[in-house]
């Protein structure tokens, strides 16, 4: 599907503890345990183990493992988890809460794949219209080469499929660290402005950079 084929670059600043020594990772784990609880700490430790062990995996295996890892978490609307209509959680907040919506699934997968060494030129965070559910939705698109058809990492359908087999998704726009782009027919992307228009994205990046955490409004440790 040509509508999926266009190029973006995403700029992300990584918290220091993601590349830190073991003692700093232990400090992060302690912070998560004190903030969210012991089960959240174990989820975060499993996440960090995945990143550590997955550096030498093939890109296909990285996609499959990361997609499956995050799809274990619960899908709930932001209003039920965070008490507001739309909140983009950092991967640590998502794992801490054990619940989130499609944005949180996609952001967690995307940031983790970046850590696993997949170049950002191969990936997009894409807002789509989920036609079957008649609602907006976010997915991760992965392009093996700039000209190849992307495959889609999604929490609605856990099977990683080529975009051409996801007729239930209609791309709307994507974004990077500098620009916001609209999806156009025949694969053309129209520049629509700077990413500062995406306040949620900028807020997320700042909380991610500062290692800030927020507690959910309820306990989702089922």
């Amino acid at each position: 599907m040509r509508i999926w084929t266009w190029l973006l670059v995403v700029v992300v600043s990584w918290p220091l503890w993601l590349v830190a020594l073991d003692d700093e990772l232990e400090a992060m784990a302690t912070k998560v345990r004190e903030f969210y609880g012991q089960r959240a700490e174990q989820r975060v430790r499993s996440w960090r183990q995945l990143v550590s062990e997955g550096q030498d995996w093939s890109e296909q295996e990285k996609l499959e493992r990361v997609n499956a890892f995050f799809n274990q978490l619960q899908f709930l609307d932001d209003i039920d988890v965070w008490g507001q209509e739309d909140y983009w959680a950092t991967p640590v907040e998502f794992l801490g809460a054990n619940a989130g919506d499609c944005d949180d699934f996609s952001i967690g997968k995307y940031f983790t794949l970046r850590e696993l060494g997949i170049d950002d030129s191969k990936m997009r965070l894409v807002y789509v219209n989920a036609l079957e559910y008649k609602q907006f939705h976010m997915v991760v698109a992965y392009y093996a080469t700039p000209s190849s058809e992307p495959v889609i990492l999604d929490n609605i359908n856990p099977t990683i499929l080529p975009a051409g087999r996801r007729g239930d998704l209609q791309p709307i726009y994507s974004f990077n660290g500098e620009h916001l782009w609209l999806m156009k027919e025949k694969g053309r992307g129209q520049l629509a402005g700077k990413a500062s228009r995406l306040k949620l994205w900028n807020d997320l990046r700042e909380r991610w950079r500062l290692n800030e955490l927020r507690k959910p409004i309820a306990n989702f440790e089922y």
Side-chain angles (χ1 to χ4, degrees):
M1 295 178 62
R2 286 180 55 96
I3 194 169
W4 290 90
T5 56
W6 53 296
L7 179 63
L8 291 178
V9 176
V10 177
V11 178
V12 177
S13 298
W14 300 99
L16 292 177
W17 54 258
L18 292 181
V19 292
L21 300 176
D22 288 346
D23 57 344
E24 292 174 310
L25 292 175
E26 287 300 318
M28 182 270 294
T30 298
K31 179 178 179 180
V32 169
R33 181 177 66 250
E34 293 174 348
F35 202 82
Y36 296 109
Q38 189 171 21
R39 294 177 68 180
E41 177 194 1
Q42 291 305 312
R43 286 192 294 273
V44 170
R45 286 185 181 276
S46 295
W47 173 51
R48 301 315 304 160
Q49 183 177 2
L50 180 150
V51 172
S52 176
E53 294 178 351
Q55 296 298 322
D56 294 328
W57 294 340
S58 68
E59 291 198 348
Q60 181 62 35
E61 186 171 5
K62 291 175 182 178
L63 296 177
E64 293 173 354
R65 294 286 193 97
V66 170
N67 194 55
F69 178 83
F70 281 98
N71 281 351
Q72 297 176 88
L73 277 67
Q74 302 169 76
F75 177 86
L76 288 172
D77 291 332
D78 283 336
I79 193 68
D80 298 316
V81 180
W82 305 108
Q84 67 185 64
E85 289 296 332
D86 206 1
Y87 180 76
W88 290 7
T90 67
V92 178
E93 290 176 316
F94 183 30
L95 291 166
N98 194 34
D101 69 0
C102 60
D103 304 328
D104 304 322
F105 281 87
S106 295
I107 290 165
K109 294 171 186 178
Y110 183 88
F111 278 36
T112 303
L113 290 167
R114 287 287 312 278
E115 275 201 89
L116 285 170
I118 295 185
D119 194 272
D120 53 5
S121 66
K122 292 186 172 184
M123 294 189 293
R124 326 282 191 271
L125 282 166
V126 186
Y127 246 115
V128 301
N129 184 9
L131 301 177
E132 182 177 347
Y133 295 91
K134 298 181 180 179
Q135 64 183 30
F136 295 121
H137 183 56
M138 185 186 284
V139 299
V140 177
Y142 165 83
Y143 298 71
T145 70
S147 61
S148 63
E149 179 183 23
V151 296
I152 305 303
L153 283 69
D154 186 12
N155 63 287
I156 289 180
N157 185 341
T159 303
I160 299 175
L161 294 172
R165 294 180 57 187
R166 293 302 306 272
D168 57 317
L169 303 180
Q170 180 182 42
I172 301 172
Y173 72 85
S174 187
F175 50 90
N176 65 8
E178 298 296 331
H179 300 296
L180 168 67
W181 300 79
L182 300 178
M183 305 302 290
K184 300 291 288 183
E185 292 182 359
K186 298 182 180 180
R188 292 190 294 269
Q190 178 183 357
L191 185 62
K194 292 188 178 295
S196 58
R197 294 179 60 182
L198 287 171
K199 185 176 184 299
L200 291 169
W201 174 242
N202 291 330
D203 289 347
L204 162 70
R205 291 194 301 161
E206 184 66 7
R207 284 182 283 106
W208 178 244
R209 184 180 68 84
L210 297 174
N211 308 332
E212 292 183 353
L213 300 177
R214 177 174 174 176
K215 287 186 177 180
I217 63 173
N219 185 348
F220 301 103
E221 298 289 2
Y222 303 140

